[in-house]
Amino acid sequence: FAPEEAVMSPEGTTTNDDESSSARDEVKEIKKKAQKETRRVVVWRTVVIAGLVITGIAVCWITYGFLRDEELTNFETAFNQFSRTVSDASINQQKVVREAYTTMADTLATSAQNDDNQEWPFFTMPGFEHYAENARIQGGLEIIVAYNLVRRGGEEAWLNYSSTNHEQWVKEGHMTRSGSLDRLNPVAYNSYISQASPQGFVPDIERDYYFAAWTFSPPPASYGVINWNIASNPDFTDVI
């Protein structure tokens, strides 16, 4: 039997080699298929991820557009409401101020007409601070001033009247307002119709008329502003 075994041995070796080669081929084929499947998976994964990203961007952009439009609409609505509120408040305040000034002017004119002992412009309204304070509160005003009209030729008569009567109404105003004269510094009275300058109040130039500052509410802390001619200020010329 030895010779037969020697003959069979090479055939057996050949068979094993063929099987190994076939197994390797199968493995290679499986690897190729796996690689192809892997590439497909990568491609599809990339496509899916790209789709999700594009979809997310689209959703974000559309949402942003909606929110932006809604925010803009809300802002415009709120701004318009605020503007209308401010406008209405401003108009109402103008009406209130106008009514306060009108009421004060009527009170002053009525008082002058009913006083037979004084003649315009030589007139000082009794209790000016009392009436003017009410008008200031009504109109939300910081100050009310009565300017007496003095025409050319009447300067000296007016200054005589002013020099004689200014202390009385100023002190009366302080007593009405605070019950004392602690806030009053009784100095700096100008015995002339003045205009404002960088150096303070100086004599005004000769004019056809003057609107001399007379009674104030609240009353002044000193006498320096009395007789200031508001018509000397260009900012008020057109209004007067």
Side-chain angles (χ1 to χ4, degrees):
F1 296 98
E4 293 180 359
E5 292 177 358
V7 172
M8 293 297 295
S9 179
E11 294 178 357
T13 302
T14 302
T15 302
N16 291 335
D17 291 340
D18 292 341
E19 291 178 354
S20 298
S21 176
S22 176
R24 285 193 297 269
D25 291 341
E26 289 179 359
V27 170
K28 290 181 180 179
E29 186 67 24
I30 292 173
K31 286 183 178 180
K32 289 181 181 180
K33 291 182 178 180
Q35 289 175 352
K36 289 182 180 179
E37 293 296 330
T38 302
R39 285 196 295 270
R40 290 177 182 173
V41 170
V42 171
V43 171
W44 279 108
R45 181 186 298 171
T46 303
V47 171
V48 171
I49 292 174
L52 292 175
V53 171
I54 294 173
T55 302
I57 293 174
V59 171
C60 291
W61 181 256
I62 293 172
T63 304
Y64 168 76
F66 285 141
L67 293 178
R68 181 189 59 187
D69 294 341
E70 183 178 359
E71 182 178 5
L72 180 60
T73 301
N74 292 338
F75 172 78
E76 291 177 346
T77 301
F79 181 81
N80 290 334
Q81 291 176 347
F82 177 76
S83 299
R84 286 194 297 269
T85 300
V86 172
S87 176
D88 293 342
S90 177
I91 293 174
N92 290 335
Q93 179 62 19
Q94 289 179 1
K95 292 180 179 178
V96 170
V97 171
R98 189 180 300 111
E99 290 175 358
Y101 272 123
T102 301
T103 300
M104 188 62 203
D106 292 342
T107 304
L108 182 61
T110 302
S111 178
Q113 292 173 356
N114 294 336
D115 192 334
D116 296 331
N117 297 323
Q118 300 187 79
E119 181 180 353
W120 195 265
F122 313 110
F123 172 76
T124 303
M125 179 179 176
F128 180 83
E129 174 60 22
H130 171 72
Y131 295 103
E133 183 178 29
N134 292 335
R136 284 194 298 106
I137 294 174
Q138 176 188 353
L141 306 171
E142 293 292 331
I143 186 172
I144 289 180
V145 183
Y147 295 89
N148 287 19
L149 174 62
V150 180
R151 300 187 183 278
R152 178 184 292 183
E155 298 93 333
E156 183 176 355
W158 167 254
L159 292 173
N160 289 337
Y161 174 82
S162 172
S163 299
T164 303
N165 294 278
H166 70 276
E167 291 187 17
Q168 179 180 349
W169 75 257
V170 173
K171 292 179 179 179
E172 178 188 271
H174 278 278
M175 294 301 296
T176 300
R177 181 174 176 79
S178 59
S180 72
L181 302 179
D182 294 341
R183 185 175 171 271
L184 175 62
N185 184 19
V187 297
Y189 173 76
N190 297 315
S191 58
Y192 49 79
I193 298 177
S194 64
Q195 62 176 328
S197 74
Q199 293 74 36
F201 291 105
V202 298
D204 195 9
I205 62 175
E206 185 175 347
R207 303 176 188 270
D208 292 333
Y209 59 86
Y210 310 84
F211 282 95
W214 187 227
T215 42
F216 289 73
S217 175
S222 70
Y223 302 137
V225 293
I226 295 175
N227 290 331
W228 170 60
N229 177 27
I230 191 175
S232 66
N233 188 327
D235 293 337
F236 297 103
T237 302
D238 293 338
V239 178
I240 296 174

